Amino acid sequence: MSAAEDPRAERTRGALRRALLAECAERQLAEVSVAALVRRAGVGRATFYVHYADLEALAVDACADIVREAVDALHAWRGVPDPAAPPPALTGFFTGLVPHTALYRALLTPGGGGPLGLVLRRELRDRSRAERALAGAPEPDLVASAVAGTFTGVLADWLHGTIEATPDRIAHQVWRLLISLHRTPHL
């Protein structure tokens, strides 16, 4: 059994992720110390460094669910998409971000950069490309890159307040934008 599969290691990483989210509910990520984090998680400082190189690595891991949720939310429809009705999972995704906005802002910089932006863009591009290729849609590489970059950039800008919209409104706007990218004829 690898360290990644060890249930004890997963429990420890889970405790550290929960402690980080709790700390970030009280202060900015830049203000969180490893000492406070391990105290809250009930683990030793050395244990922290066995699992994570630094706080940013833990934060990206703690926010990795956002990546999976975003990718799943954008692909939570079948058939012909209705531009007026985004999948409920997409609206739920944006609504679920609100409680941890400050943490996501620290990891996803305006325009879609930062450590979380890189992970989100890669995972979304890979999933979009695979689904387009499977469906025989034209230009799977190009459209998947456009979808991933557009979504990641809009998400980051919304989190940073550059785009002002409620979670429901941004879900509708993003949905229409992404449908238009997918409908682009042969380029």
Side-chain angles (χ1 to χ4, degrees):
M1 174 180 316
S2 73
E5 298 169 339
D6 183 348
R8 293 169 300 171
E10 184 49 42
R11 276 193 303 275
T12 299
R13 286 190 298 274
L16 288 166
R17 289 188 298 262
R18 286 187 299 278
L20 178 76
L21 292 174
E23 286 288 319
C24 287
E26 299 169 5
R27 62 190 52 80
Q28 299 290 320
L29 177 61
E31 299 169 1
V32 174
S33 69
V34 172
L37 182 74
V38 297
R39 192 171 33 256
R40 187 180 286 248
V43 302
R45 189 176 186 93
T47 300
F48 171 84
Y49 288 107
V50 165
H51 296 280
Y52 298 102
D54 54 27
L55 281 173
E56 184 178 277
L58 168 59
V60 170
D61 185 40
C63 294
D65 285 343
I66 187 180
V67 171
R68 286 183 288 281
E69 289 172 19
V71 171
D72 289 345
L74 288 173
H75 294 90
W77 60 275
R78 294 292 174 247
V80 178
D82 178 1
L90 186 60
T91 303
F93 166 75
F94 281 103
T95 302
L97 295 176
V98 174
H100 299 291
T101 299
L103 176 58
Y104 297 131
R105 283 182 189 150
L107 300 171
L108 188 62
T109 58
L116 191 59
L118 296 173
V119 172
L120 178 57
R121 192 176 312 117
R122 182 185 63 242
E123 299 238 351
L124 185 53
R125 182 184 59 236
D126 291 349
R127 174 90 171 263
S128 294
R129 191 216 174 283
E131 289 199 9
R132 284 188 69 78
L134 184 63
E139 305 291 347
D141 293 320
L142 180 66
V143 174
S145 288
V147 165
T150 298
F151 180 80
T152 305
V154 169
L155 171 63
D157 288 350
W158 178 72
L159 286 168
H160 283 275
T162 305
I163 299 170
E164 293 185 23
T166 65
D168 185 61
R169 178 80 177 134
I170 196 70
H172 279 81
Q173 292 172 321
V174 164
W175 183 239
R176 285 191 304 272
L177 183 60
L178 296 178
I179 287 173
S180 68
L181 285 172
H182 276 285
R183 289 184 175 163
T184 302
H186 294 290
L187 302 171

